[in-house]
Amino acid sequence: MSAPEILIGIMGIFFVAPVVNLLGCWDVVRQNLIAIMGIIFLSTLLVFGISGKLSQLVIDRKGADEDV
């Protein structure tokens, strides 16, 4: 069994503690749910944008190196 298969097999263990903690703080989370969802949405868009720009930069730079 390879390392990724082992990690996927025990992945649930990594999420149990955070989920239990969220359930313990549900009143606070529920009060701020709109703000939390907005932050998740905006940060996801930011990551997509930065990843896309960096990918384009690498592709353009690689293409320029091949032209030489």
Side-chain angles (χ1 to χ4, degrees), residues 22-39:
L22 278 176
L23 291 176
C25 304
W26 180 246
D27 291 335
V28 175
V29 172
R30 186 177 42 176
Q31 291 173 354
N32 299 306
L33 194 58
I34 301 290
I36 292 169
M37 295 302 288
I39 290 168

Side-chain angles (χ1 to χ4, degrees), residues 31-64:
Q31 291 173 354
N32 299 306
L33 194 58
I34 301 290
I36 292 169
M37 295 302 288
I39 290 168
I40 291 171
F41 180 74
L42 291 175
S43 63
T44 301
L45 290 179
L46 185 66
V47 168
F48 283 170
I50 291 172
S51 298
K53 290 292 183 185
L54 286 175
S55 297
Q56 283 301 109
L57 179 67
V58 169
I59 290 169
D60 292 343
R61 200 172 266 192
K62 185 178 178 184

Side-chain angles (χ1 to χ4, degrees), residues 3-20:
E5 291 172 345
I6 293 171
L7 290 174
I8 289 172
I10 62 172
M11 189 169 52
I13 295 170
F14 297 123
F15 292 103
V16 170
V19 170
V20 170

